[in-house]
Amino acid sequence: MAGVDATIRLPSIEALVLQLHGRSRALTPSEEDVIDRYAADVRDYVVARWPVDTGTSADAWQYEVSVSPGTYGFTILNEIDYAEWVHPAGTPPGMDYWQGLIGEGWAMVRASLLADLEAEVRATEALMATRGVRRAFTSPVRVARVAA
């Protein structure tokens, strides 16, 4: 394995979008911003607790947000090839220390992320309903014929 990664999916948000929107859709930029904020918090949680000798592997932690239909969530990753073996001094090597840290970080933000994202999805859907966006692609198109 070259580096490490952990993907956190948001199936309850996918289900909410299906319920409110009638089909899956990509998340909007404002909805993506909610995920982005909390993914950064999880990454920062890991970095703050990461054992540091030179700082190379600590500096390599990053995250990617996915907002495409069916893939809502984020991935926390570190592409340093030895990151999976990093552990605090005095603990046995081979433990997946990184998995524990990501799990703890996710547990810390999970409830807030889901509540904030649900509120944002509901706001987006309400705005779409008032603007008729949902009906834009489901209404029949009328074509006028011009006699030549």
Side-chain angles (χ1 to χ4, degrees):
M1 176 188 229
V4 298
D5 67 67
T7 299
I8 297 170
R9 296 277 179 237
L10 306 172
S12 64
I13 299 301
E14 186 79 35
L16 178 66
V17 169
L18 286 170
Q19 174 192 355
L20 298 176
H21 194 71
R23 66 184 191 290
S24 192
R25 63 168 174 81
L27 295 179
T28 65
S30 61
E31 294 163 343
E32 180 179 6
D33 288 346
V34 173
I35 299 174
D36 188 79
R37 264 195 332 266
Y38 288 104
D41 288 348
V42 174
R43 189 253 344 256
D44 293 348
Y45 181 90
V46 172
V47 170
R49 289 154 182 78
W50 196 246
V52 176
D53 280 337
T54 64
T56 302
S57 65
D59 292 341
W61 284 104
Q62 53 190 315
Y63 64 91
E64 297 172 351
V65 173
S66 179
V67 297
S68 297
T71 66
Y72 300 166
F74 61 94
T75 301
I76 304 291
L77 58 137
N78 189 318
E79 295 179 346
I80 299 294
D81 60 357
Y82 59 83
E84 69 180 305
W85 302 106
V86 171
H87 58 93
T91 62
M95 302 174 28
D96 290 328
Y97 182 68
W98 61 274
Q99 287 179 326
L101 287 179
I102 292 170
E104 291 166 14
W106 170 234
M108 182 182 72
V109 303
R110 183 181 185 276
S112 297
L113 181 152
L114 293 175
D116 290 354
L117 188 53
E118 178 179 340
E120 192 63 39
V121 166
R122 288 184 184 281
T124 297
E125 290 298 327
L127 184 61
M128 286 181 181
T130 61
R131 292 185 178 174
V133 172
R134 280 194 271 177
R135 287 179 259 130
F137 298 106
T138 58
S139 300
V141 176
R142 294 189 179 153
V143 178
R145 292 190 174 222
V146 178

